[in-house]
Amino acid sequence: MLQLSEDVERVSENPAEEREEDMEVHEDSSSVILPGIAFYPGKARLLSCKHHYYDHIPPLINPGQPGDIECTTQRINYTDPFTNQTMKYALVVQGPRDVKKRELVFLQFHLNETDQDFSAIDYLLFSSFQEFVSSPEKAKFMKDCESSYSSWKFSGGFRTWVKMSLVKTKEEDGSETVEFKQETSVVNYIDQRTKPRSDQLFFVVFEWKDPFIQTVQDIITANPWNMIALLCGIFLALFKAADFAKLSVKWMIKIRRRHLKRTRQVTNHIS
């Protein structure tokens, strides 16, 4: 897998610091990302899950009916990390892996109750499905993921196509954070089932956008010339302030003299 290392320049609030950027592209066969996808279907049920390649999805066979589940899935229950009271149910699915063959994962959900005005299924992406599988405390693992990653939704009655990309950020203290970015496109599903239905079907596709991993890293260098320029700017500002104060005092004295002169002229005229 190719890995793109891009150091992005960030504007510092301290002018005495400079940010440098360095970009290099190299092949890293040891870097394999096997993402995990956590779904929160609620009352919806997973009907089918398949892996396809080269952006090709065959026509649906018996939509709305249970089909083949060829994906690696696990179900987990854990308490909400923000309230510690609500119990959450998650369906964790292994995401696409083979980027060169443009592997994608196609899932179909079915919701039997449609008494709500709007229907959607929440999901979140995390960077390592293997870490989830090998974790002895899967509930704690999912709570940490939900606290660290953003969640998204896909609606019923559509096929939502999600293209993922991964961004790794290296902080100044040496720590590394991982963030998913995604682009989504939505296509309306034309329900051709013969009998009128009151249920809802959900279709979603996950695929890698490209075979690159973007790495963002700050390189901070201290420049003594910047410090000198900063001090010169401070002294210049002080000089301007003093000069302005001096001119203000002269102007006030001049106005006071004019006022006294006019007062004397009026007094002499009256006399």
Side-chain angles (χ1 to χ4, degrees):
M1 178 181 294
L2 291 178
Q3 181 170 352
L4 175 64
S5 178
E6 178 184 356
D7 296 325
V8 179
E9 181 179 3
R10 296 181 180 177
V11 178
S12 173
E13 296 179 357
N14 189 353
E17 294 182 353
E18 283 187 352
R19 306 275 181 167
E20 298 180 356
E21 64 177 32
D22 182 27
M23 181 182 297
E24 58 180 7
V25 180
H26 61 277
E27 185 175 357
D28 187 5
S29 59
S30 62
S31 179
V32 177
I33 302 297
L34 183 59
I37 311 168
F39 296 95
Y40 302 91
K43 297 181 180 180
R45 182 165 62 101
L46 178 63
L47 295 181
S48 63
C49 180
K50 292 184 179 182
H51 291 257
H52 302 286
Y53 297 90
Y54 300 107
D55 290 343
H56 174 69
I57 300 178
L60 295 173
I61 300 176
N62 296 326
Q65 299 298 322
D68 297 330
I69 299 180
E70 300 174 355
C71 305
T72 304
T73 63
Q74 286 199 20
R75 303 175 187 272
I76 183 72
N77 294 328
Y78 63 94
T79 56
D80 192 306
F82 302 104
T83 62
N84 289 326
Q85 296 178 354
T86 308
M87 184 63 66
K88 305 195 70 173
Y89 157 69
L91 173 66
V92 184
V93 180
Q94 176 182 311
R97 178 175 183 175
D98 197 336
V99 183
K100 294 182 179 180
K101 293 183 179 180
R102 304 177 72 176
E103 178 186 2
L104 56 86
V105 179
F106 178 52
L107 302 99
Q108 178 186 180
F109 291 86
H110 174 260
L111 179 62
N112 197 23
E113 299 179 3
T114 57
D115 54 347
Q116 300 178 353
D117 295 332
F118 303 96
S119 58
I121 295 178
D122 296 336
Y123 70 94
L124 65 83
L125 304 171
F126 58 93
S127 57
S128 179
F129 180 79
Q130 188 61 37
E131 288 185 9
F132 167 75
V133 173
S134 59
S135 175
E137 298 181 359
K138 292 182 173 57
K140 183 179 182 302
F141 182 90
M142 290 306 304
K143 290 176 68 174
D144 294 339
C145 286
E146 188 172 353
S147 301
S148 304
Y149 297 103
S150 301
S151 61
W152 294 277
K153 299 177 182 288
F154 61 94
S155 301
F158 298 92
R159 186 191 68 182
T160 304
W161 198 300
V162 180
K163 292 191 176 183
M164 309 174 295
S165 60
L166 193 64
V167 179
K168 292 184 178 180
T169 304
K170 294 183 180 180
E171 305 295 341
E172 297 178 10
D173 57 357
S175 61
E176 185 178 81
T177 59
V178 179
E179 178 187 2
F180 275 94
K181 293 185 177 180
Q182 63 174 9
E183 297 178 1
T184 59
S185 59
V186 179
V187 179
N188 185 35
Y189 167 65
I190 302 175
D191 196 343
Q192 297 180 350
R193 292 176 291 178
T194 56
K195 296 181 180 180
R197 303 282 180 172
S198 60
D199 57 355
Q200 192 71 266
L201 296 179
F202 301 79
F203 305 94
V204 64
V205 181
F206 291 91
E207 179 189 16
W208 285 107
K209 179 183 177 182
D210 49 46
F212 300 107
I213 299 175
Q214 182 180 3
T215 302
V216 181
Q217 182 177 5
D218 290 337
I219 302 176
I220 305 175
T221 58
N223 192 332
W225 293 106
N226 284 349
M227 184 63 68
I228 295 175
L230 179 62
L231 293 176
C232 290
I234 293 175
F235 287 129
L236 181 61
L238 293 175
F239 175 77
K240 291 291 185 181
D243 188 51
F244 176 76
K246 182 179 178 181
L247 292 176
S248 299
V249 172
K250 289 183 177 181
W251 179 78
M252 291 176 64
I253 294 174
K254 187 176 181 181
I255 294 299
R256 178 64 177 171
R257 288 177 178 175
R258 288 181 179 178
H259 177 70
L260 293 176
K261 184 177 180 181
R262 290 177 181 176
T263 303
R264 292 194 201 99
Q265 290 176 353
V266 172
T267 304
N268 294 334
H269 180 72
I270 295 174
S271 299

